[in-house]
Amino acid sequence: MQDNGTCKYDNILGTVGNTPIVRLTKLAPPHVNLFAKIEAFNPMGSVKDRLALGIIEDAERRGTLSPGQTVIEATSGNTGIGLAMVCAVKGYPLVVTMAENFSVERRRMMRFLGAKVVLTPASLKGSGMLAKAVELANAHGWFLCRQFDNEANADMHSRTTAPEILTAFEGERLDYFVTGYGTGGTLKGVARVLKAQRPDTNIVVCEPDNSPILGSGIAQARDADGTPSESHPSFRPHLMQGWSPDFIPKLTEDAVAMKLVDRILPINGADAVRLARELAQREGIFVGISAGATLAGALQVCASAPDGATVLCMLPDTGERYLSTPLFEGVAAEMSAEEMEISRSTPGARFDAPPPAPPATKSASPVPAPAVSAEVEAFVAQVLADREQPLVMFALEWCEFCWSLRKLFAQCGIPYRSVDLDSTAYQRDDRGGQIRAVLTARTGSKTIPQVFVGGEYIGGCTETLDAFREGRLQDLFRDHGVGFDENVRIDPYTLLPGWLHPR
Ligand code: PMP
């Protein structure tokens, strides 16, 4: 965790923790000091990076995780993303089980980091994805992280989060520490240190108001081995992803049993979303729904706190993880009437008017086509006549329309030759430009991509997609003996760049 002040690390894992504590100047009532600990500063953007590193390094020390062994965990996302980072660095394969209703950006991030994500039905809730992880771990001999009851989770917070807070408030008041709970790792790990070292600090725990599993006072039913045996009767689905699963986690239960919790606060989902937005728009702090929810709890605390009190709340993760959730509901991708008006206030680059004519200058002349060598002429002719590879695309590496065609060819399972004119392979003597000149002379088209089957020019991106839609492309593949997956049924227009799709 230490960087000795140089900000130079042996690997990314050294950047976990040491997150900043920032004063909220606009959202705090004037009579209190309100601070937020912003866990989005962790390398993968959430508090769970701490737990991931803590659990894996603890298992390494104990020898319960051996080199190259597969790691598995049930997670609503942030733990999986943190584990995916840790496992990538340390070389462990990772399998994550996750209920299908958590935001899709989370799954895609884990897969991007190299993890396998096994979805479980939303109807089986958090305990269903947990049961699946246990089943897979037992069946395959994988290392199960057990974030909900693994002491290494709480220990990591006692070793990192809590001392960071103690240092930040050394010699100052710290009247309230406000947090939610997902596993209770933050709660148990921080609260026990604060209770010992700063007994004057009140520990406040927040949970969704429609799902008061702690507030109800009803104990969690458990099997003999401590595993929750059924959903808690007070659990209801709620908006705060990462908070309160459908059972009371062991670490959370411990914190209550150890009398670390002074107050349990119910939080309204709409308040959580509103405050996450206000944090962004008024404080410039971009965080997720559970952060808005924790702030809602902190503001309730502030309202009844004495003058000059200091309140610290945890903000568990970044807002970027919520683009497909209610947090971004109503945040448009298209221009609003007000934005259109700004656009129309000057003449350039508008959608509603033709661009102004460029000023006429006598010297304006088109860029001359490069002189084409006989070798390049022969190269194009040879590529187009190649019977081994009848499908040829002249493309640009950066071009999104070329990528649309690449996706189509990949989905059809069809091999093709891509001549990427802007790649280093065609830079010498402007061979890319020369090939383009040869193509223009042949097809009359100046644009790229240009697609050919068996030497026959199909067209650019749209023409190729149309030819596929109408079955002409498939006929040509058959004519030229090109095998492809005949069962693929897609609307090829869905492969166009996302920004072209009508919304
Ligand atoms: N918020 C979010 C978004 C989370 O992912 C989590 C962890 N699941 C938490 C809050 C709660 O953290 P902890 O597990 O330490 O209780």
Side-chain angles (χ1 to χ4, degrees):
M1 218 85 352
Q2 288 304 316
D3 70 332
N4 303 322
T6 59
C7 285
K8 187 155 162 274
Y9 302 89
D10 286 339
N11 63 49
I12 193 69
L13 302 180
T15 70
V16 173
N18 279 322
T19 54
I21 292 175
V22 176
R23 182 189 287 274
L24 303 185
T25 52
K26 310 264 179 45
L27 295 177
H31 72 288
V32 293
N33 302 299
L34 176 55
F35 290 92
K37 188 159 175 63
I38 309 180
E39 292 296 303
F41 278 79
N42 281 299
M44 289 313 303
S46 94
V47 67
K48 305 313 276 281
D49 292 356
R50 297 179 188 263
L51 159 155
L53 185 58
I55 285 183
I56 295 298
E57 294 203 330
D58 175 73
E60 286 176 336
R61 271 192 299 272
R62 289 172 195 275
T64 46
L65 172 62
S66 36
Q69 188 180 358
T70 295
V71 172
I72 181 162
E73 184 59 333
T75 150
S76 63
N78 282 332
T79 297
I81 292 167
L83 279 170
M85 164 190 64
V86 174
C87 290
V89 175
K90 290 176 172 281
Y92 300 107
L94 173 67
V95 177
V96 158
T97 62
M98 183 167 133
E100 61 182 333
N101 49 322
F102 295 113
S103 70
V104 289
E105 36 283 49
R106 297 177 182 216
R107 318 177 191 163
R108 297 187 73 192
M109 284 181 71
M110 285 186 257
R111 289 179 174 139
F112 191 85
L113 283 156
K116 300 273 180 286
V117 181
V118 176
L119 298 178
T120 55
S123 58
L124 298 180
K125 296 180 267 194
S127 47
M129 71 186 193
L130 190 58
K132 183 69 179 176
V134 173
E135 191 176 279
L136 285 168
N138 289 339
H140 302 293
W142 292 342
F143 172 76
L144 179 65
C145 295
R146 298 184 300 106
Q147 59 166 332
F148 292 102
D149 46 353
N150 192 331
E151 290 299 335
N153 173 359
D155 289 348
M156 187 65 168
H157 286 286
S158 295
R159 266 189 293 120
T160 66
T161 322
E164 291 164 28
I165 294 170
L166 290 177
T167 307
F169 290 95
E170 201 174 339
E172 292 174 25
R173 282 176 77 161
L174 179 57
D175 301 280
Y176 302 92
F177 172 71
V178 185
T179 182
Y181 64 91
T183 60
T186 310
L187 169 64
K188 180 176 176 183
V190 173
R192 67 183 166 195
V193 175
L194 291 184
K195 274 282 170 241
Q197 314 244 351
R198 300 287 305 248
D200 50 331
T201 304
N202 279 275
I203 308 295
V204 181
V205 178
C206 306
E207 64 180 357
D209 61 359
N210 65 333
S211 187
I213 61 178
L214 280 189
S216 68
I218 303 170
Q220 175 65 47
R222 294 183 188 279
D223 289 335
D225 68 352
T227 318
S229 53
E230 57 192 46
S231 284
H232 192 281
S234 302
F235 173 79
R236 297 290 175 276
H238 58 78
L239 269 175
M240 291 79 137
Q241 287 193 27
W243 265 20
S244 314
D246 65 314
F247 54 90
I248 301 179
K250 172 73 173 46
L251 295 173
T252 304
E253 196 171 279
D254 291 348
V256 176
M258 291 160 74
K259 306 222 175 314
L260 300 176
V261 176
D262 296 298
R263 206 167 152 193
I264 299 168
L265 280 183
I267 306 296
N268 179 263
D271 285 346
V273 169
R274 175 178 56 79
L275 285 167
R277 289 182 184 155
E278 287 199 22
L279 273 167
Q281 292 175 12
R282 299 186 56 206
E283 302 277 358
I285 298 175
F286 186 36
V287 288
I289 303 174
S290 72
T294 317
L295 175 62
L299 290 177
Q300 285 187 48
V301 167
C302 289
S304 58
D307 279 2
T310 294
V311 180
L312 171 66
C313 67
M314 293 295 288
L315 304 185
D317 73 353
T318 168
E320 233 160 323
R321 220 143 278 179
Y322 297 88
L323 296 173
S324 68
T325 73
L327 186 57
F328 275 74
E329 192 61 46
V331 179
E334 302 308 326
M335 279 198 279
S336 65
E338 199 183 343
E339 289 161 339
M340 285 296 275
E341 204 168 305
I342 298 172
S343 168
R344 282 196 289 264
S345 67
T346 61
R350 286 161 55 167
F351 289 95
D352 61 337
T361 56
K362 276 198 182 141
S363 60
S365 60
V367 181
V372 176
S373 72
E375 184 262 322
V376 167
E377 286 271 12
F379 169 75
V380 174
Q382 175 255 315
V383 165
L384 293 178
D386 184 358
R387 285 171 179 275
E388 297 296 311
Q389 198 58 274
L391 175 56
V392 179
M393 170 164 75
F394 292 91
L396 295 169
E397 280 180 338
W398 58 265
C399 166
E400 285 188 85
F401 295 95
C402 299
W403 278 102
S404 301
L405 293 180
R406 289 186 217 284
K407 282 190 264 181
L408 177 69
F409 300 152
Q411 294 203 6
C412 294
I414 180 168
Y416 64 98
R417 175 165 190 169
S418 182
V419 180
D420 296 339
L421 302 177
D422 57 342
S423 66
T424 51
Y426 298 100
Q427 264 172 9
R428 191 174 42 83
D429 303 331
D430 189 20
R431 290 182 78 221
Q434 292 189 50
I435 295 171
R436 219 167 156 155
V438 174
L439 291 171
T440 304
R442 225 176 227 268
T443 65
S445 169
K446 287 188 168 155
T447 60
I448 298 293
Q450 295 199 17
V451 174
F452 296 80
V453 179
E456 180 181 333
Y457 177 54
I458 308 299
C461 179
T462 318
E463 290 84 4
T464 306
L465 296 181
D466 286 343
F468 180 84
R469 232 183 196 174
E470 293 157 17
R472 283 186 286 121
L473 198 61
Q474 294 87 323
D475 287 343
L476 280 170
F477 290 163
R478 287 185 204 100
D479 289 352
H480 290 275
V482 181
F484 65 99
D485 184 351
E486 298 263 1
N487 298 318
V488 175
R489 298 276 173 276
I490 41 165
D491 173 0
Y493 273 56
T494 59
L495 304 174
L496 283 168
W499 49 268
L500 273 177
H501 296 309
R503 262 175 279 262

